[in-house]
């Protein structure tokens, strides 16, 4: 199958992570995604991660992970020729996605008004750090910065460590998911109101604070702030957390009375269910330290207590559960003479996976696409 977005063309003027991740997800749903890149290849993720051969080819691990199935066109948008070529592509597009700083697209001649003159039902999607207006709108933004500014970093870590960033660029990917949702909703809206342009804005700050809604509502109603609680569970249950074992570490989440009772019985400590929080914490810490994590993982699984080992990424990917996942693709990359396993969609669907081509080398499709546009 070719996917539900097989007839949708997306012009992708984004770079780094959040925007390319979003358009990459849309490509995995079947959309034709054309990356419009600037001369010189200044998207640093092309050279980020992977082997030296991958980086030298402009196909670094970070790039391959979210650009499969796309095409690449190189245009100098600061020239009349380059801008006209871009606007010709706009006239044949359904969606334009850009993550320039607010105001840059307008100065280039690729703002909402200029592009919707070329395509009356264009969906124009912008992604930025702080949104199109407000006192921070013009400031540069990266995931690490937004983890701090959003309040996320102040809740991550322990009193001993101080604030810490989440291990992945989570703000980028949350914003990318928000952008995907916005674009899919706009495509549905276009079916109801054809020939009406739509302007979408996704802010990394808004996307991240929205994800922390439960904490935000609690603060706004009680004044309480979530601090550096280490591995304390969201539920605040004393029977939940991360525990050191004789070998390895274990995460346990026993939130309900039934789960708590099953945990205490499995550990041979039924009386613990009625103990105070400090006694619970001390006892669990002492008990779990007596045996390896594999022992406890098996025991608690048999007792139907939510738990699992703390794994590094390599061990996580090597799990049979992950190895059998249909949400990964083995794509041959001719330029590297190797096959690379790349992520696909994070859900299963009867039309997935769509047939994908490897991520494009820099400017690979320029001649083909521009000649095709000229012939129309």
């Amino acid at each position: 199958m070719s996917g539900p977005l097989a007839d949708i063309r997306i012009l992708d003027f984004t770079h780094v992570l959040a925007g390319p991740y979003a358009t990459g997800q849309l490509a995995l749903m079947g959309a034709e995604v054309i990356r419009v890149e600037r001369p010189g290849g200044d998207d640093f993720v092309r050279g980020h991660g992977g082997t030296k051969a991958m980086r030298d080819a402009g196909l670094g691990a970070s790039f391959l992970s979210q650009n499969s199935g796309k095409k690449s066109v190189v245009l100098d948008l600061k020239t009349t020729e380059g801008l006209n070529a871009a606007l010709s592509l706009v006239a044949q597009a359904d969606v334009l996605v850009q993550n320039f700083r607010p105001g840059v697209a307008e100065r280039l001649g690729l703002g909402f008004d200029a592009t919707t003159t070329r395509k009356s039902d264009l969906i124009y999607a912008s992604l930025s750090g702080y949104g199109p207006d407000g006192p921070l709108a013009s400031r540069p933004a990266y995931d690490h910065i937004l983890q701090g500014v959003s309040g996320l970093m102040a809740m991550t870590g322990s009193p001993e460590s101080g604030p810490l960033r989440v291990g992945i660029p989570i703000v980028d990917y949350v914003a990318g998911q928000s952008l995907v949702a916005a674009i899919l909703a706009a495509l549905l809206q276009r079916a109801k109101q054809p020939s009406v342009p739509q302007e979408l804005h996704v802010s990394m700050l808004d996307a991240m604070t929205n994800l922390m809604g439960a904490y935000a509502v609690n603060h706004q109603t009680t004044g309480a702030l979530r601090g550096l609680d280490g591995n304390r569970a969201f539920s605040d249950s004393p029977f939940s957390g991360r525990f050191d074992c004789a070998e390895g570490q274990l995460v346990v989440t026993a939130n309900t009375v039934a789960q708590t009772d099953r945990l205490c019985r499995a550990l041979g400590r039924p009386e613990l269910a009625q103990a105070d929080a400090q006694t619970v914490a001390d006892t669990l810490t002492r008990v779990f330290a007596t045996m390896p994590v594999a022992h406890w993982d098996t025991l608690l699984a048999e007792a139907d207590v939510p738990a699992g080992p703390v794994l590094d990424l390599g061990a996580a990917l090597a799990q049979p559960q992950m190895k059998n996942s249909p949400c990964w693709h083995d794509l041959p990359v001719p330029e590297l003479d190797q096959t690379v396993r790349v992520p696909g969609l994070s859900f299963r669907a009867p039309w997935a996976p769509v047939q994908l081509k490897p991520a494009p080398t820099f400017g690979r499709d320029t001649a083909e696409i521009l000649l095709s546009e000229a012939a129309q």
Side-chain angles (χ1 to χ4, degrees):
M1 293 186 180
S2 54
L5 301 185
D7 58 345
I8 300 299
R9 173 181 270 197
I10 297 173
L11 284 187
D12 181 5
F13 290 90
T14 68
H15 59 287
V16 193
L17 293 180
Y21 172 76
T23 56
Q25 293 291 291
L26 297 169
L28 289 163
M29 298 177 198
E32 178 189 18
V33 178
I34 301 175
R35 282 178 56 90
V36 181
E37 305 193 65
R38 290 177 279 191
D42 58 353
D43 191 347
F44 87 90
V45 296
R46 277 193 173 274
H48 186 263
T51 65
K52 184 177 185 301
M54 293 167 67
R55 296 191 297 272
D56 289 347
L59 297 171
S62 296
F63 186 81
L64 286 180
S65 71
Q66 57 193 35
N67 287 286
S68 298
K70 298 182 186 180
K71 300 176 180 178
S72 172
V73 171
V74 176
L75 296 176
D76 187 348
L77 301 175
K78 294 182 179 180
T79 68
T80 300
E81 181 183 14
L83 176 60
N84 287 339
L87 290 172
S88 294
L89 291 174
V90 168
Q92 304 299 322
D94 299 285
V95 183
L96 183 153
V97 188
Q98 60 92 358
N99 67 346
F100 301 116
R101 284 200 213 179
V104 171
E106 287 73 17
R107 291 197 295 273
L108 289 171
L110 288 169
F112 177 74
D113 292 337
T115 53
T116 52
T117 298
R118 294 296 186 107
K119 185 69 184 298
S120 62
D121 63 349
L122 184 70
I123 296 169
Y124 189 98
S126 301
L127 186 147
S128 63
Y130 302 101
D133 46 36
L136 299 179
S138 64
R139 294 184 64 168
Y142 286 94
D143 175 272
H144 204 150
I145 298 168
L146 266 298
Q147 288 201 30
V149 174
S150 66
L152 174 65
M153 194 176 289
M155 293 190 291
T156 307
S158 66
E160 294 74 27
S161 70
L164 295 172
R165 68 176 290 274
V166 175
I168 64 168
I170 190 169
V171 184
D172 279 320
Y173 294 128
V174 168
Q177 289 281 18
S178 295
L179 187 57
V180 170
I183 290 171
L184 293 178
L187 288 169
L188 290 173
Q189 181 65 18
R190 188 179 69 168
K192 299 176 182 178
Q193 290 185 300
S195 301
V196 177
Q198 299 178 66
E199 187 172 14
L200 313 176
H201 291 280
V202 171
S203 149
M204 294 168 70
L205 179 60
D206 288 340
M208 192 63 241
T209 53
N210 179 269
L211 199 68
M212 299 187 291
Y215 296 112
V217 171
N218 188 59
H219 168 65
Q220 292 174 86
T221 54
T222 69
L225 284 170
R226 188 82 176 188
L228 295 171
D229 297 321
N231 291 300
R232 184 164 66 119
F234 172 76
S235 65
D236 292 326
S237 167
F239 294 91
S240 300
R242 191 216 69 195
F243 301 95
D244 292 326
C245 302
E247 180 182 319
Q249 296 174 322
L250 182 75
V251 178
V252 180
T253 303
N255 293 329
T256 68
V257 172
Q259 290 169 345
T260 297
D261 287 342
R262 291 198 296 270
L263 171 63
C264 295
R265 289 198 304 271
L267 298 180
R269 303 289 201 284
E271 75 286 351
L272 197 60
Q274 308 302 323
D276 62 89
Q278 189 59 55
T279 300
V280 169
D282 292 343
T283 303
L284 293 181
T285 297
R286 185 173 62 256
V287 170
F288 284 128
T290 62
M291 297 291 288
V293 65
H295 169 82
W296 298 120
D297 187 38
T298 300
L299 181 72
L300 296 185
E302 292 172 349
D304 195 25
V305 175
V310 176
L311 302 176
D312 63 32
L313 181 58
L317 293 175
Q319 296 177 91
Q321 186 72 30
M322 291 297 295
K323 282 188 172 182
N324 296 329
S325 171
C327 301
W328 290 80
H329 306 283
D330 292 315
L331 288 183
V333 184
E335 295 85 359
L336 301 174
D337 193 28
Q338 70 180 96
T339 296
V340 179
R341 191 166 174 81
V342 298
L345 294 167
S346 58
F347 57 84
R348 305 185 190 202
W351 44 264
V354 300
Q355 291 297 113
L356 283 180
K357 293 182 178 179
T361 51
F362 181 69
R364 182 190 67 190
D365 307 288
T366 304
E368 177 187 349
I369 289 177
L370 294 187
L371 286 173
S372 174
E373 292 300 316
Q376 293 185 20

